[in-house]
Amino acid sequence: PSGVEEQAIIDHQLTTMRAYFSVSPLLSFDVTRRLSLLGGIRAGFLAASSFSQKEVLVSPTDVTYEDGSRTRFVIDSSAVPDAASTRLAAMAGIRYDIPVTDDERWHIMPELMAVYGLGSLQSSQQWNQSSIRLGVAVVWQNYEVIPNCSSTRT
């Protein structure tokens, strides 16, 4: 009925996309021959961003907003407002080296990396982004590892 307040379930949809061109120099400290600790920094430069939002009435199905629609506050933007053009992050992780061939030229390297955002993704409000990344690299070495050998001088 018109002008009557009702309880409703509303779906608030918020979508944001940010694409960065990033550079991530890392330092590696070998704890053992196979286990390495990683640390470094990531510098990202904003390449693209977008933002959209809307509210949709889920239930009851026979209710609408004042204008007769079931959707309101629709915003589609080509860019996130006040998006920071650069992004810095501290990185720390661990990697394990598993040789898969006898000559140790091919390796599988599982890696766990934590990335902690430094600074805000928006200039108008505090909005940080941090992440945990789990990955596996397949590595080919184009050199031979020579085992340590002792030489005797006469």
Side-chain angles (χ1 to χ4, degrees):
S2 179
V4 176
E5 291 185 17
E6 293 212 27
Q7 288 193 5
I9 297 174
I10 300 172
D11 181 18
H12 297 269
Q13 299 175 8
L14 174 66
T15 305
T16 182
M17 184 280 301
R18 293 169 190 259
Y20 287 89
F21 172 72
S22 297
V23 178
S24 305
L26 289 173
L27 296 175
S28 174
F29 174 74
D30 294 336
V31 177
T32 68
R33 183 169 180 234
R34 303 274 181 232
L35 183 68
S36 300
L37 297 178
L38 307 171
I41 195 157
R42 172 182 290 162
F45 307 95
L46 186 64
S49 69
S50 66
F51 166 79
S52 65
Q53 79 169 25
K54 65 182 173 180
E55 282 187 5
V56 179
L57 277 169
V58 176
S59 71
T61 57
D62 62 339
V63 173
T64 62
Y65 290 114
E66 297 85 13
D67 64 356
S69 73
R70 296 188 50 80
T71 303
R72 71 176 179 179
F73 300 135
V74 177
I75 298 174
D76 283 317
S77 172
S78 60
V80 175
D82 302 321
S85 60
T86 58
R87 176 176 179 247
L88 290 177
M91 302 175 68
I94 190 167
R95 175 173 49 209
Y96 192 76
D97 182 354
I98 304 167
V100 292
T101 58
D102 290 337
D103 63 359
E104 295 195 16
R105 289 191 185 252
W106 287 96
H107 301 256
I108 294 176
M109 294 184 178
E111 177 180 289
L112 179 65
M113 183 74 65
V115 181
Y116 180 75
L118 306 171
S120 181
L121 294 174
Q122 265 184 268
S123 59
S124 61
Q125 65 183 358
Q126 190 63 27
W127 184 8
N128 285 341
Q129 179 184 9
S130 297
S131 63
I132 295 177
R133 182 180 76 197
L134 177 64
V136 177
V138 177
V139 178
W140 176 68
Q141 282 181 186
N142 191 19
Y143 60 87
E144 187 175 337
V145 177
I146 301 171
N148 290 337
C149 61
S150 57
S151 60
T152 309
R153 289 187 166 177
T154 56

